[in-house]
Amino acid sequence: LHRVDRRQRQMCIRDRYIIDASNVILGKLAVEAANLLRGKNKADFTPNVDCGDYLIIVNSDKVILSSNKIDREKWYTHSGYIGGLKEKSGRLMIEKYSDKLVYDAIKGMLPKNTLSRYIIKKLHVYKGANHMHEAQKPEELKVKN
């Protein structure tokens, strides 16, 4: 097994950003968030070094699914037991599990490697407008629709 060197994770100066997900399409939000978490917005971006920023996403319950995915798409989970497959509609995901929906969309846009497991830990998603990171004074970002 290859382990990520601690120096590779701590070389860059990290900023903190906050994104309000109200009336933002889920895919566009996920692309913007994944790029910030990886550090692609920085001049010293290197694919094998974790130099991304911390990201806080609020109002995940007000995110928009494009087209008619709210009725058409299904999200599946499996318990591991026989007959343990469960499906959830887009409407249910937005109403009850919107933070998990946003988290999984962003996680799916990160590379599938050991480094991405460190990168995803810098993401915090909240359903409402309240979050516990005011002391870090995050800079607000706007996502284009």
Side-chain angles (χ1 to χ4, degrees):
L1 295 174
H2 297 298
R3 295 194 181 239
V4 177
D5 190 11
R6 286 184 186 260
R7 288 173 289 161
Q8 287 181 337
R9 289 189 293 133
Q10 299 174 351
M11 287 174 67
C12 302
I13 297 173
R14 296 192 172 99
D15 298 323
R16 295 181 189 270
Y17 294 104
I18 186 167
I19 295 178
D20 187 7
S22 299
N23 300 324
V24 177
I25 295 173
L26 178 63
K28 293 187 179 190
L29 173 68
V31 168
E32 197 72 32
N35 286 339
L36 277 171
L37 288 171
R38 284 193 72 195
K40 283 193 155 189
N41 58 333
K42 296 185 176 185
D44 58 348
F45 169 70
T46 310
N48 63 331
V49 177
D50 179 14
C51 60
D53 299 319
Y54 288 92
L55 185 61
I56 305 156
I57 297 178
V58 294
N59 292 326
S60 69
D61 52 347
K62 297 177 185 169
V63 76
I64 298 171
L65 292 176
S66 61
S67 182
N68 60 348
K69 289 180 190 162
I70 198 160
D71 298 318
R72 181 175 44 101
E73 288 287 319
K74 305 286 185 208
W75 279 264
Y76 295 96
T77 57
H78 198 282
S79 66
Y81 291 98
I82 297 171
L85 183 67
K86 295 184 180 181
E87 70 175 35
K88 296 176 184 142
S89 68
R91 194 170 305 280
L92 180 69
M93 289 297 286
I94 291 288
E95 289 172 4
K96 287 190 174 181
Y97 308 105
S98 61
D99 50 345
K100 181 163 176 39
L101 179 71
V102 172
Y103 181 87
D104 288 343
I106 295 169
K107 186 177 180 181
M109 293 200 178
L110 292 175
K112 280 58 174 181
N113 56 24
T114 309
L115 189 61
S116 69
R117 295 181 192 104
Y118 291 106
I119 291 173
I120 198 68
K121 291 179 184 176
K122 296 183 292 184
L123 174 66
H124 305 282
V125 182
Y126 297 99
K127 284 187 181 182
N130 298 331
H131 60 89
M132 55 183 169
H133 304 280
E134 289 96 5
Q136 283 78 31
K137 298 181 182 129
E139 181 183 334
E140 184 150 355
L141 283 179
K142 300 284 184 191
V143 177
K144 298 175 186 174
N145 252 347

